[in-house]
Amino acid sequence: MKEKLEYLMSQTGLRSGQIAKMLDVKASVVSHLLIGRNQPNYKLTAKIIKVFSDYSPLWWLGLSDDPYAKVTTSVGSQNSETSQVGEQATPPTSTAEEPTLFETQSSSSSAKPTLPAGQGAAVGSLPSSEIERVIVIYRDKSFESFTPKK
């Protein structure tokens, strides 16, 4: 977050006190972020994304290196089944025979939930080299991001 706030300040000419005022937090909160002492909790991160909406939420969350990465979603759309992050939505690929996200396959005796093709994979089924980042969100709304070593 430190680097992102520094980038914001260099691009906009804002000072840390002005950013704090815009976010409705104490100046020390922004100061601690800028020196790397603290990371923002969920609530502050959401506020940063909302106040500085000219920059990509994906960038703020560390999911993109591009501050202007586009986020396209198709929630509620009949033209696409999934939300695509940072790329164009693709047409649906499922057929009537494929189960929905929470249905089980009738031919399976174990009755485990299955995901349609292209809807992700079960934990542990992907090699660790394919996992880009794991984000853990705690009940107090703080979060940590872990990137596996390659």
Side-chain angles (χ1 to χ4, degrees):
M1 185 58 70
K2 173 186 174 185
E3 294 82 15
K4 290 172 178 42
L5 288 173
E6 289 171 345
Y7 179 82
L8 172 75
M9 293 168 70
S10 72
Q11 295 298 306
T12 62
L14 292 171
R15 295 187 310 267
S16 61
Q18 294 169 308
I19 293 172
K21 191 171 188 174
M22 293 171 76
L23 295 173
D24 195 29
V25 296
K26 293 180 181 177
S28 62
V29 171
V30 175
S31 175
H32 290 167
L33 294 174
L34 285 168
I35 63 172
R37 177 178 173 189
N38 294 344
Q39 290 294 320
N41 62 20
Y42 171 80
K43 188 175 181 180
L44 181 56
T45 301
K47 196 181 284 190
I48 290 169
I49 290 170
K50 185 175 181 180
V51 170
F52 299 107
S53 59
D54 292 345
Y55 298 91
S56 172
L58 298 174
W59 180 70
W60 284 117
L61 294 172
L63 301 174
S64 172
D65 293 333
D66 179 9
Y68 304 102
K70 299 226 188 258
V71 179
T72 58
T73 59
S74 56
V75 176
S77 169
Q78 293 180 348
N79 293 334
S80 179
E81 288 184 4
T82 62
S83 295
Q84 301 294 323
V85 177
E87 57 187 57
Q88 295 293 329
T90 57
T93 57
S94 86
T95 62
E97 294 82 32
E98 289 184 7
T100 62
L101 182 61
F102 297 105
E103 289 179 343
T104 58
Q105 293 177 341
S106 58
S107 63
S108 172
S109 61
S110 63
K112 292 182 181 176
T114 59
L115 295 173
Q119 292 288 314
V123 174
S125 67
L126 294 174
S128 64
S129 64
E130 293 183 25
I131 298 172
E132 183 175 327
R133 183 169 300 174
V134 176
I135 299 174
V136 178
I137 301 174
Y138 297 99
R139 288 189 182 168
D140 68 355
K141 307 299 184 206
S142 63
F143 67 93
E144 290 184 80
S145 175
F146 300 96
T147 305
K149 295 178 183 172
K150 293 188 178 189

